[in-house]
Amino acid sequence: MVQVKLKRVYENTVSGDGFRVLVDRLWPRGVKKDDLHYDWWAKEISPSPELRKWVHEDPISRWDDFTALYRKELSVSGATTDFIEKIKKYDVVTLLYAAKDPARNHAMILKSYLMEILS
């Protein structure tokens, strides 16, 4: 089974990161493309632009709804199936994200969703 980890793009790369996937739709601020060590940029697995903008207007009060809506997007997206097929061949996959809040970010939701599907 795949072990899925989370890491901010601003943290150092370590050998235990395994296959590193950037899961943000937008390139992280202040990071040069040559400086970020990643194996795949999976933009299509991130929340839709509309959903991302909507939650950023009021992340605290909209968090539960955002979680449900993003999980729904994941469940109907062909990109999710492709993503899962691609990561299944790795022992360790690290989802890279730029959000400041480690408790409220789409990568955390994605990890939870993936763990349910992969188990």
Side-chain angles (χ1 to χ4, degrees):
M1 188 170 112
V2 179
Q3 178 186 7
V4 180
K5 298 180 177 183
L6 294 176
K7 186 178 260 191
R8 288 192 73 219
V9 295
Y10 308 103
E11 296 177 51
N12 291 329
T13 303
V14 297
S15 60
D17 286 347
F19 188 67
R20 293 169 51 92
V21 183
L22 177 60
V23 294
D24 284 350
R25 187 167 298 272
L26 305 175
W27 189 260
R29 287 184 184 193
V31 177
K32 293 180 183 176
K33 289 197 178 184
D34 291 340
D35 292 343
L36 181 61
H37 301 286
Y38 67 101
D39 299 300
W40 181 30
W41 184 7
K43 299 178 206 181
E44 64 283 345
I45 200 74
S46 66
S48 64
E50 300 79 19
L51 186 56
R52 181 181 53 79
K53 290 173 187 174
W54 175 79
V55 75
H56 281 283
E57 291 173 8
D58 189 357
I60 303 294
S61 68
R62 293 182 175 176
W63 184 251
D64 290 340
D65 290 334
F66 171 75
T67 299
L69 291 168
Y70 180 40
R71 289 177 69 90
K72 183 174 182 183
E73 283 186 352
L74 289 169
S75 72
V76 299
S77 173
T80 303
T81 305
D82 296 342
F83 185 87
I84 291 168
E85 286 304 311
K86 185 159 186 167
I87 67 167
K88 277 166 79 171
K89 56 186 149 189
Y90 299 96
D91 293 330
V92 179
V93 174
T94 298
L95 306 178
L96 303 171
Y97 67 95
K100 293 177 186 174
D101 189 343
R104 287 191 183 95
N105 63 71
H106 75 283
M108 181 191 73
I109 299 166
L110 176 58
K111 177 185 176 183
S112 171
Y113 183 85
L114 292 172
M115 297 313 299
E116 289 172 19
I117 299 296
L118 293 168
S119 62

